[in-house]
Amino acid sequence: MDLSLTDDQQAFRSLARDFLEREAVPHRMQWDHDESIDLAIVPKMAELGFFGLTIPEEHGGVGGDYVTYSLAMEELGRADSALRGIVSVSSGLVGKSILVHGTEEQKQEWLPQLATATKLGCFGLTEPGTGSDAGNLTSRATRDGSGWVLNGQKLFITNGTWADVALVFARTSDDGPRGITAFLVPTDTPGFEAREIRGKLGLRGQATAELFLHDVRVPDGARLGEVGQGFKIAMGTLDKGRLAVASSCVGIVQGCLEASVAYATQRTQFGRPIAAFQLVQDLIADMSVDADAARLLAWRCADLIDRGEPYGVAASKAKLFASEAAVRAANNAVQVHGGAGYVDDFPVAKYLRDARVMTLYEGTSQIQKLLIGRAETGVSAFT
Ligand code: COS
């Protein structure tokens, strides 16, 4: 489905698809079994421009608009959501936070490296005691002369063991969300430790870690934005992150649709391809509608960003719908495949496992509904 995409947007999409069909699709099951992608693909992805999208050329990126970014995230989701996470966390959540809130010095230090993936970033917001209630986080940053000392723990951090820099949100006063400050912490700083979390249901090729901060000392120059501005930085960045997750989910739905059509048209039962049965077509039709609807919601959000319009609620709607659609489509794709869908001979079991986290991270479906509900009613469920 195309909606007046420019030649450049279409060209990037087909370049991305060809690359991922060649470099990712043949290996994704192995990476999934190994619980690690082969990191040799990262510089190749960077060469194609995945990490530099929407980061201006003057900061080492390749520029480009958010519709192109959405197309890239969709292709990554269709191929392997574990790869999408590396890009959208490192150059998305971390890179975009620096781009919007960083000093010139911070931009020069980090953006060219994040945009070319010579360095990777991770986003340290979630803690063992605070997931949805991010404004209540308890990691602390205390003044120490001209710098800061950070202590605390972070949980479920994508790229945690691979990252060179962690964007850490820590409490600098007891003033709820207004008492949080953001810091760019090089991961080789003494006292910083990342431990990999193994045995995830999905996204097994992607590093997910627990972070421990024991008296981690950073200069004041590591502070991103003003003291007390950290929660707003996190929320603003997550709005764009939600577009990335939504687009990636479009890719999962699209992948499930393609796999189901391919299987249903060659698999015969009762003397006919199972695609001929109305109940199988029912499942496939739902996937097709979900792919279109989720894609249009993601593109609408991307277009709003490109036009400089408010996009937070559009991001929540896209993320809510697309993530739920990805779980639905993957579940139905396994149904179309029958027993064959329950093993790794086809991609649909992995799609189902990978899809499951999409309704949880970067704001659960319930949080997205409350944000949409607040926008519609003007009444907050959080206060
Ligand atoms: N962009 C910029 N600023 C924002 C913002 C956004 N998207 N959302 C909230 N803010 C600001 C508010 O304007 C407010 O500013 P003031 O202090 O000037 O009034 C401040 O942040 C605190 O806002 P509030 O207390 O109203 O918080 P919210 O109700 O907006 O946020 C929820 C509560 C639950 C919505 C929020 O904590 C959330 O999104 N939680 C989910 C976290 C998440 O996605 N975790 C996943 C981590 S990554 S895997």
Side-chain angles (χ1 to χ4, degrees):
M1 184 189 63
D2 284 346
L3 193 79
S4 56
L5 293 178
T6 65
D7 288 349
D8 281 354
Q9 288 164 343
Q10 295 190 46
F12 189 86
R13 180 173 60 182
S14 53
L15 208 68
R17 176 160 305 196
D18 290 350
F19 170 84
L20 292 165
E21 280 292 325
R22 201 174 58 246
E23 300 283 346
V25 170
H27 309 294
R28 62 186 173 190
M29 290 304 183
Q30 192 59 48
W31 295 339
D32 191 64
H33 291 157
D34 295 347
E35 293 196 47
S36 180
I37 63 152
D38 178 354
L39 283 170
I41 194 172
V42 169
K44 295 184 198 169
M45 286 167 64
E47 203 172 317
L48 212 77
F50 278 112
F51 287 86
L53 279 173
T54 72
I55 295 182
E57 288 177 35
E58 65 188 281
H59 295 303
V62 297
D65 49 61
Y66 274 86
V67 171
T68 308
Y69 185 67
S70 176
L71 295 171
M73 296 302 120
E74 177 181 337
E75 291 308 321
L76 287 165
R78 177 182 171 275
D80 189 346
S81 294
L83 293 177
R84 192 273 306 161
I86 300 170
V87 180
S88 68
V89 170
S90 187
S91 74
L93 296 183
V94 181
K96 302 309 166 29
S97 296
I98 298 171
L99 184 64
V100 177
H101 301 281
T103 60
E104 206 43 51
E105 213 172 13
Q106 287 168 334
K107 288 182 195 173
Q108 276 175 22
E109 181 177 4
W110 294 112
L111 285 181
Q113 310 198 70
L114 293 173
T116 52
T118 47
K119 297 234 160 131
L120 292 178
C122 68
F123 188 77
L125 179 67
T126 297
E127 299 184 350
T130 50
S132 292
D133 191 9
N136 251 325
L137 59 81
T138 60
S139 289
R140 282 248 161 216
T142 45
R143 281 270 187 198
D144 178 45
S146 61
W148 298 86
V149 180
L150 276 63
N151 279 286
Q153 194 178 334
K154 299 288 173 182
L155 188 63
F156 301 137
I157 306 302
T158 301
N159 291 347
T161 49
W162 291 337
D164 301 283
V165 60
L167 177 52
V168 174
F169 297 88
R171 183 158 296 291
T172 45
S173 82
D174 290 328
D175 191 17
R178 290 160 199 92
I180 296 170
T181 304
F183 297 89
L184 290 164
V185 182
T187 55
D188 58 2
T189 309
F192 184 99
E193 190 195 343
R195 285 186 212 151
E196 179 140 9
I197 298 168
R198 289 284 204 169
K200 299 193 297 276
L201 175 65
L203 293 189
R204 293 162 68 97
Q206 173 185 291
T208 306
E210 241 176 317
L211 307 182
F212 298 88
L213 301 138
H214 305 285
D215 290 333
V216 174
R217 281 166 203 283
V218 292
D220 193 45
R223 175 170 48 80
L224 184 74
E226 298 301 319
V227 172
Q229 208 194 348
F231 187 73
K232 288 188 188 183
I233 294 176
M235 291 302 114
T237 298
L238 279 173
D239 286 343
K240 287 195 181 115
R242 288 167 186 163
L243 167 65
V245 175
S247 306
S248 178
C249 289
V250 176
I252 292 178
V253 180
Q254 182 64 36
C256 288
L257 173 63
E258 291 171 21
S260 298
V261 169
Y263 186 78
T265 47
Q266 60 82 29
R267 168 77 173 169
T268 56
Q269 289 291 281
F270 306 100
R272 310 164 71 190
I274 62 169
F277 295 113
Q278 291 179 9
L279 293 179
V280 171
Q281 289 201 9
D282 174 73
L283 296 170
I284 288 174
D286 281 349
M287 285 177 221
S288 179
V289 176
D290 272 346
D292 281 4
R295 188 178 287 116
L296 286 170
L297 283 170
W299 285 3
R300 190 266 298 260
C301 176
D303 182 56
L304 287 170
I305 301 177
D306 286 334
R307 287 191 286 114
E309 301 283 335
Y311 56 88
V313 180
S316 285
K317 288 182 182 176
K319 200 269 181 183
L320 170 65
F321 186 85
S323 61
E324 295 289 343
V327 174
R328 199 159 54 229
N331 201 33
N332 284 343
V334 170
Q335 197 67 24
V336 170
H337 285 69
Y342 199 66
V343 290
D344 280 343
D345 297 347
F346 294 91
V348 291
K350 179 176 181 310
Y351 278 135
L352 180 59
R353 291 188 288 103
D354 288 350
R356 194 60 194 82
V357 77
M358 306 293 169
T359 69
L360 305 175
Y361 69 3
E362 302 213 16
T364 60
S365 290
Q366 287 68 29
I367 288 291
Q368 307 311 330
K369 283 187 181 173
L370 294 177
L371 288 169
I372 297 162
R374 179 169 73 180
E376 290 291 352
T377 63
V379 183
S380 172
F382 308 115
T383 49

